[in-house]
């Protein structure tokens, strides 16, 4: 075990995979000098400019090239800088990468990873702070992953690169410098498997990405009040680990989904609906979700704090769920 | 249908191009009639009048080279060597279709011959072809690509990005602009700025040439010269092929927006008439051409009969080939 940052963990993952498989390469803006989160630092020195490929600011073409290169038999890691700019290549993601295998009757596949750092970036305002996971989850053909720790970022990125499906890989913009334990030995995590980040008997908090750390913080606060919250970090958002979530709800009888993204039409709604449908009998209280209000993300700090789903807000929502009764 | 023995190579090639063009023409006439009659569903974009471009360009390519097509893709597929019978099955949505009946006209593809697919989104084939080449380069393969794009598509942002990108990375990609003067119902010139597409390509540093896109001999000559240079490492090039869309934008489109005089002026330039004249000039007799036409017509008619008789894909194929991880289940 060693300590490293979320960014360093992803460098380790990419280095291991590029050494292991000559078909793996990366393309995107400014990655030769390390990328905006430092998440490619040093890789061009080892692998050269062809495999760590600096591109023009041409998001449509970055993504189109990634799809074409995947169809030709390579395994590209496509860096789109932030999810907000990935919107410039939504067409190539949704109309090509996600469905090329299907439309062409299975004669080709697009084994690619689209890295598009997601979520808020303190002080960067509305065009640099969005969370887009619900849009990708909604698209048939895509796998959607959102790592919440350095260890997971290393293991999930490796699994994403090895996957034969197109994977939307949502690192969190504010987490590059967060550090944590990462095992020395190589490890991958099966896509589609959640992690119980904390056990508890009173309610289940389902969450992902950076919000997982807020949920754990909230759970520590609640423990001091005698409420034991179980925190489930989904890690993969599509396909999400229903078995894990439902098993947890069957133990606790209560569900809260905590997400950073806009609550309305968000992924939390899917989880609440699914659990209600399939584990209604286990619920002792109405399931709930907490997410951002349906506003663009404002710039000024106190305004940004209002829309950020943080630990105190999650704790407050959890108290309501813990106190609620059925019927 | 054995052509006279010992024809000069040039004439043999001319006859082969003629057969390809006839195949495209009869395929298109057949599927247009089927679309109008409602036997084939969805949009069908006929390539009638433009056959010389796909035929000439693909003749300059190797089997393992790539072609990225457009929404008007049947000609590119046939030119590259796809089986018209399998394409017919695809348009009829049947088992045995190029894409198992799940793509239809706008997605005909055959990866076994480097045909990356027709595409429902204008311009996307172009950017994907750059990736196919960049990926192939990484794998040490010396293939080139031809990326087809319409005169209307030349105004899409990704296509402009692609010109810059291809030149930056010196990719062996031949951009082929099929200028049929129309972008659906809009006369392209009325929505296109600048001195023309060759100048536009030259502005990105691509050697660019304009050819008569209705003359298959000329198209092939220009494409061969460029493809040889691509393979020698000269970087991307641009071929502006002038043509005319003889039919409508879609099978059902009578194109009432086109001036009558324009049609009258263009019709004699039909690329099939041109190659027939060329062949006659090179000593091919009328009855030989007649026999060629009859043979191709019969093979397309046979393909259509077979497609109409073929089974529809099994219902479970709706759920096949979506994704491995989290694959949706039949009935779930
Ligand atoms: C991105 C995108 N925008 C619009 C369309 C709708 N559309 C289909 S064909 C067409 C006209 C294309 O004109 P051109 O590129 O000249 O090709 P042509 O049809 O003449 O072969 C349009 C607008 C589309 N398929 N994709
Ligand atoms: Mg056109």
């Amino acid at each position: 075990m060693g300590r490293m940052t979320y960014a360093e963990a992803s460098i380790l993952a990419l280095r291991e995979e590029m050494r292991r498989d000559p078909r793996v390469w990366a393309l995107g803006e400014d990655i030769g000098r390390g990328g905006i989160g430092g998440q490619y630092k040093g890789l061009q020195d080892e692998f050269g400019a062809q495999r760590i490929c600096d591109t023009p600011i041409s998001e449509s073409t970055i993504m189109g090239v990634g799809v074409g290169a995947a169809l030709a038999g390579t395994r590209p890691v496509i860096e789109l800088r932030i999810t907000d700019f990935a919107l410039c290549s939504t067409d190539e993601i949704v109309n090509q990468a996600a469905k090329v295998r299907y439309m062409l009757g299975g004669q080709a596949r697009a084994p690619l990873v689209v890295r598009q750092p997601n979520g808020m970036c303190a002080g960067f305002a509305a065009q640099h702070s969005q969370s887009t996971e619900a849009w990708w989850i909604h698209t048939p053909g895509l796998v959607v992953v959102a790592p919440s720790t350095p260890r997971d970022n290393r293991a999930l990125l490796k699994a994403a690169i090895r996957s034969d499906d197109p994977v939307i890989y949502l690192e969190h913009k504010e987490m590059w410098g967060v550090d944590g334990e990462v095992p020395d030995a190589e490890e991958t995590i099966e896509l589609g498997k959640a992690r119980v980040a904390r056990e508890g008997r009173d309610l289940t908090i389902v969450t992902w990405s950076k919000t997982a750390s807020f949920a754990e913080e909230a759970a520590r606060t609640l423990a001091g009040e005698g409420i034991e919250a179980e925190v489930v970090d989904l890690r993969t958002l599509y396909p999400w680990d229903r078995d894990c979530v439902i098993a947890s709800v069957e133990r606790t009888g209560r569900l809260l989904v905590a997400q950073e993204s806009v609550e309305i039409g968000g992924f939390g709604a899917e989880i609440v609906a699914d659990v209600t449908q399939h584990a209604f009998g286990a619920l002792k209280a109405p399931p709930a979700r907490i997410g951002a209000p349906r506003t663009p993300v404002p710039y000024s700090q106190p305004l940004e704090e209002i829309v950020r789903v943080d630990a105190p807000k999650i704790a407050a929502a959890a108290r309501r769920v813990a106190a609620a009764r059925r019927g | 249908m054995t052509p006279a023995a010992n024809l000069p190579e040039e004439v043999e090639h001319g006859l082969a191009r003629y057969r390809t063009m006839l195949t495209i023409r009869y395929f298109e006439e057949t599927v247009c009639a089927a679309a109008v009659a409602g036997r084939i569903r969805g949009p069908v974009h006929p390539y009638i009048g433009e056959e010389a471009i796909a035929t000439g360009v693909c003749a300059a390519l190797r089997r393992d080279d790539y072609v990225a097509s457009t929404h008007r893709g049947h000609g590119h597929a046939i030119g590259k060597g796809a089986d018209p019978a399998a394409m017919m099955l695809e348009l009829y949505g049947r088992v045995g279709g190029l894409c198992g009946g799940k793509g239809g006209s706008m997605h005909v593809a055959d990866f076994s011959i480097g045909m990356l697919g027709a595409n429902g989104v204008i311009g996307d084939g172009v950017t994907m072809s750059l990736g196919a080449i960049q990926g192939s380069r990484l794998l040490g393969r010396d293939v080139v690509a031809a990326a087809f794009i319409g005169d209307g598509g030349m105004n899409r942002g990704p296509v402009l990005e692609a010109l810059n990108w291809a030149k930056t990375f010196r990719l062996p990609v031949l951009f082929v602009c099929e200028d049929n003067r129309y972008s659906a119902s809009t006369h392209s010139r009325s929505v296109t700025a600048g001195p023309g597409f060759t100048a536009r390509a030259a502005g990105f540093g691509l050697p660019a040439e304009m050819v008569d896109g209705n003359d298959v001999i000329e198209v092939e000559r220009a494409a061969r010269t460029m493809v040889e240079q691509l393979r020698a490492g000269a970087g991307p090039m641009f071929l502006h092929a002038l043509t005319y869309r003889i039919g409508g934008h879609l099978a059902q489109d009578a194109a009432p927006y086109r001036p009558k005089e324009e049609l009258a002026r263009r019709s004699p330039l039909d690329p099939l008439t041109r190659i027939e004249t060329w062949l006659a000039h090179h000593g091919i007799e009328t009855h030989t051409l007649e026999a060629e036409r009859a043979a191709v017509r019969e093979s397309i008619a046979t393909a259509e009969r077979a497609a109409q008789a073929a089974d529809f894909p099994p219902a479970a194929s709706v759920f096949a080939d979506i994704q491995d991880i989290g694959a949706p289940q039949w009935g779930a």
Side-chain angles (χ1 to χ4, degrees), chain B residues 45 71-72 120-122 150-153 156 180 182-184 249:
Chain B
H45 301 86
H71 54 289
R72 203 176 295 287
V121 183
I122 292 177
D151 45 306
R156 272 217 78 212
N180 61 11
Y182 280 89
S183 170
H249 176 59

Side-chain angles (χ1 to χ4, degrees), chain B residues 6-42:
Chain B
N6 299 328
L7 286 175
E9 201 184 332
E10 179 194 29
V11 183
E12 285 277 16
H13 283 176
L15 264 177
R17 306 301 169 256
Y18 181 53
R19 260 174 234 131
T20 304
M21 291 169 66
L22 283 175
T23 306
I24 300 172
R25 174 67 56 97
Y26 292 151
F27 184 90
E28 297 296 51
E29 287 180 353
T30 303
V31 299
C32 281
V36 169
R39 295 193 300 275
I40 285 178
R41 54 212 316 274

Side-chain angles (χ1 to χ4, degrees), chain B residues 149-169:
Chain B
I149 185 73
D151 45 306
M154 280 298 295
N155 290 329
R156 272 217 78 212
V159 175
L160 301 175
E161 289 184 358
L163 289 168
N164 176 65
W165 184 297
K167 186 67 184 179
T168 298
F169 294 105

Side-chain angles (χ1 to χ4, degrees), chain A residues 91, chain B residues 45-47 50 70-72 106 119-124 149-154 156 178-186 188 245 249:
Chain A
D91 162 54
Chain B
H45 301 86
Y47 197 60
E50 309 183 27
T70 66
H71 54 289
R72 203 176 295 287
M106 287 189 292
N119 212 305
V121 183
I122 292 177
D124 283 10
I149 185 73
D151 45 306
M154 280 298 295
R156 272 217 78 212
E178 302 184 301
D179 185 354
N180 61 11
R181 326 295 165 128
Y182 280 89
S183 170
S185 66
T186 302
S188 289
R245 199 190 69 202
H249 176 59

